[in-house]
Amino acid sequence: MNEFERRSAEINDLLCVLNVLNWDARTQMPAGGSGPRAQQMATVSALAQEKLLDPAYEAAAQAVGGEDVETRAAQQALDAISALKRIPAGLTRELALLKSEAQEVWARARAESDFGLFAPQLTRMVELNQQLAEALGYEGHPYDALLNMYEPGLTVDTLMPLFAQLRAHHVPLLQAIQQRPQPRSDFLNRWYPAAAQKRLSLALAQKFGYDISRGRLDESAHPFEISFTRQDVRITTRIQENFLSGALFGTLHETGHAMYEQGVRPELSRTVLASDLLGLYAVGGASYGTHESQSRLWENRIGRSRAYWDLHFPQLQVAFPEALADVDTAAFHRAVNTVRPSLIRVEADELTYDLHIMLRVELERALIGGELAVKDLPEAWNARIKSDLGLDVPDDARGVLQDIHWSAGMIGSFPTYTIGNVMASQFYAAATQQRPELEATLLRGEYASLREWLTDNIYQHGRTYTPHELLERVTGRGLDPQPYLDYLSGKYGELYGLVASNTAQKEQTL
Amino acid sequence: MNEFERRSAEINDLLCVLNVLNWDARTQMPAGGSGPRAQQMATVSALAQEKLLDPAYEAAAQAVGGEDVETRAAQQALDAISALKRIPAGLTRELALLKSEAQEVWARARAESDFGLFAPQLTRMVELNQQLAEALGYEGHPYDALLNMYEPGLTVDTLMPLFAQLRAHHVPLLQAIQQRPQPRSDFLNRWYPAAAQKRLSLALAQKFGYDISRGRLDESAHPFEISFTRQDVRITTRIQENFLSGALFGTLHETGHAMYEQGVRPELSRTVLASDLLGLYAVGGASYGTHESQSRLWENRIGRSRAYWDLHFPQLQVAFPEALADVDTAAFHRAVNTVRPSLIRVEADELTYDLHIMLRVELERALIGGELAVKDLPEAWNARIKSDLGLDVPDDARGVLQDIHWSAGMIGSFPTYTIGNVMASQFYAAATQQRPELEATLLRGEYASLREWLTDNIYQHGRTYTPHELLERVTGRGLDPQPYLDYLSGKYGELYGLVASNTAQKEQTL
């Protein structure tokens, strides 16, 4: 190891340690531990930042030359150092403390469905993120500076036209669907014992290729994936005994994230290319959007396909013989692809999901832009749910308090879910084009072929390439919503009997 | 916070983080995570040491004056700095790495009952501890230097006469007991479902006063207690479905440790007085022996008393109606106080337990002194078990591989178990003398009175006093085995019908 590698490894170790502390706080820690834990995380976070901003590290990065991958690592380190130097140390420390405390308060506020409990923390979180945006700098909107932390290169100016294109597609399609009869889906809300849900979810995750000798599945209020190097990649799920889809598809989703992390080349462990240095976060995926493309691909493209349930529905019936006694594969497949406006993002169908995202993105952009005050947020949220989805929000727990993101300081990350949807379809189209036999292997339940293609083309590279470079390398073009729109139109057109042909479909839904 | 306090808090945070990483590795981590985890722990450990040895920290400690508690904290910091300066940085780092790896290898070796698997790690562990002893310095035996890390001030020269005194008491008492008929204890090996054992163990821990809003109970191969400040103090147990006493008394034991940590004054959190700086370990107890006195006191003095089971046996019968259908309180109390030579330390009765300890202490003293080679250890172990306890060791898992301590680098810690037994009786004698009503409250199952006395006299002080100072303050004298010997003679004399009076008992057993 040279000086740059040695120092990078030390920094990555500290980021992995932060992830362990974070995982523990969200899955294992007793309530009393939250205060000291926040201080412990702040201390480790400050140390990681200190190591990163040590002039000797900058010098070591500048001294790197020659081989391409190491040069990229060094350049990423230099970029992060340059950005972090613009953030006052006090702001970093206060943000770290606030993130830990706010998550605790958010969990309590959500349990009591009382936004007022959480409002002071969120207000401060917005203020600190405004300060952060100013410190980092931006050309257009201050929100751009935050966006850039999750999806390098993405701006409000790129995002809004893309959202408009999606909205122009999704809204008429949703309207068309709402005029068609809905399939049966009552059985998804029967009684599904928690232990069996957890067992089955884990079995399906392993069938996709999640390696539990390097991972584990736990429960938490909000499902997440987190890695402490590729050797220890953990996922969580939220189990509700009267709702099967939550834990089931939630687990398939986190499994997509986890396989990405487990697929990073071993050589990249403990390097900059498995570190989000700007976010002080150990992660192997290229960006949040790229990561989300993998969770979406495995959850939706594979996990909600007819072929998947032709193979796996019998397993489900063995696990839940009573609840599924009068259900067949076709009915199950239709039920889990029902499009129906709903209150909870993580339980939303593929089509309305993007509308949930656009709502959050526009609200957080307004918060950061100073056009919306935190105290007015619940009202704005509820009004938007009403206008977009036609629903009344009965309480904050099912409204503005449902997501952990803002309490975790992740303002600017929501767009990446929809970016992920778009990228997932681009990657899937490229995979099936480059490997014509791929879809036949999936029909046989052989997921290794897809996983290997993704590993070769995406996972192994870690953060070597930017999302844009990766898209260019793999698909030959940049961000392009067309494959995603085609996929949704084709799928729902067929499921809801909207069209007779592809041509007619496009005419009808666009 | 002044400079000394601020730096001390940062160091304590890192030690708490090490404890979290350690707890996770032993209770949650998938096998694949062990390599990176060892590196993460080595990195944090090195950073803590770096902070401790920062000249600015030494200067800040030297600048402390005035108030007594802070002066003590500063002096402890200066003592630790002085000791650590004598240890080469490379040795510290290698020890940290080896500890993490060796625990993993030990767990596998124990599962496969193959000492050969673990021998290379243990050999290196002994070598590194010999180097450590030389670096730290000692007057008599190199083992003294290691002893001192766990029990400040204890030496081979003090320990051996104490052991001789205990042996002179224990061996004849054991012989006398072996000539008496044994009580029934077959029912302890009936089937006790794991979930009910865990539930009951936790309920009894809470009844003692373990606060689970600041703690939790998990399972691990070797039971332990660990704290991340007084706000998050966790315990583990090992559940065997065909052996009730293991998890039950193991949990009461760890509960004693945990209540000590939970009882440290809040003001001492994140200070030197909740840090073992020399051992780079976050802990509130004054020493390992002092800590063990509390686990022993709650497990044995309270948890194995007749009064305790008069109160709690009905709960046990509700939890295990079938297994305990034909058992009454008296039979249960006799069974859990059976003295019978056995192979496993953590399952040993109170009397033979000290013999297990003396065996380990003499072997590790010989390893460190270079008089015994690691390859000869199983044979030496087995021979000693035969001569002391009359038993043949059937395999290494039930012999030399049974304890985690050596793999965790804890050479020199075993004596503290017996020191803890001795201190427990001294403290209990002082408590009942100072609060004459105490035993009456215990008969009513009101454990708060004892816990409060212990908190006032011991727990709250954290590491403010040395073990010797604490004994002097609380009991008016130093280490004194007489209360312990009286307790054992009295208890087993009665249970095994050995004596008619106290006088006769002393004549018979000494």
Side-chain angles (χ1 to χ4, degrees), chain B residues 433-450:
Chain B
Q433 204 179 337
Q434 291 167 27
R435 288 209 187 159
E437 77 289 1
L438 197 67
E439 294 204 297
T441 65
L442 296 176
L443 290 175
R444 295 196 297 270
E446 295 163 14
Y447 304 111
S449 59
L450 176 58

Side-chain angles (χ1 to χ4, degrees), chain A residues 13 24 28 32 43 216 234, chain B residues 13 24 28 43 213 216 234:
Chain A
D13 283 343
D24 180 81
Q28 314 290 334
T43 290
R216 53 178 285 143
R234 304 186 186 182
Chain B
D13 282 343
D24 180 80
Q28 314 290 334
T43 290
S213 80
R216 52 178 286 142
R234 305 186 187 183

Side-chain angles (χ1 to χ4, degrees), chain B residues 4 13 287 300 316 400:
Chain B
F4 175 66
D13 282 343
S287 71
N300 290 334
L316 223 60
V400 67

Side-chain angles (χ1 to χ4, degrees), chain A residues 9-14 16-17 20-21 23-24 27-34 36-37 39-41 43-44 46-47 50-51 93 212-216 218 228-229 231-234 270, chain B residues 9-14 16-17 20-21 23-24 27-34 36-37 39-41 43-44 46-47 50-51 93 212-216 218 228-229 231-234 270:
Chain A
E10 194 180 26
I11 292 166
N12 181 268
D13 283 343
L14 292 178
C16 287
V17 167
V20 176
L21 296 174
W23 175 85
D24 180 81
T27 63
Q28 314 290 334
M29 189 179 74
S34 66
R37 179 59 52 87
Q39 289 165 320
Q40 290 150 10
M41 292 183 72
T43 290
V44 176
L47 276 174
E50 194 180 288
K51 296 276 167 196
R93 199 176 166 87
I212 60 152
S213 79
R214 298 186 287 135
R216 53 178 285 143
D218 292 88
F228 328 137
T229 80
Q231 290 299 114
D232 192 350
V233 181
R234 304 186 186 182
R270 305 183 77 221
Chain B
E10 192 180 29
I11 292 166
N12 182 268
D13 282 343
L14 292 178
C16 287
V17 167
V20 177
L21 296 174
W23 175 84
D24 180 80
T27 63
Q28 314 290 334
M29 188 180 73
S34 65
R37 179 57 53 85
Q39 289 165 320
Q40 290 150 8
M41 291 182 72
T43 290
V44 176
L47 275 174
E50 196 181 286
K51 296 276 168 197
R93 198 175 168 88
I212 61 153
S213 80
R214 299 185 286 136
R216 52 178 286 142
D218 291 88
F228 327 138
T229 79
Q231 291 299 115
D232 192 350
V233 181
R234 305 186 187 183
R270 305 183 78 221

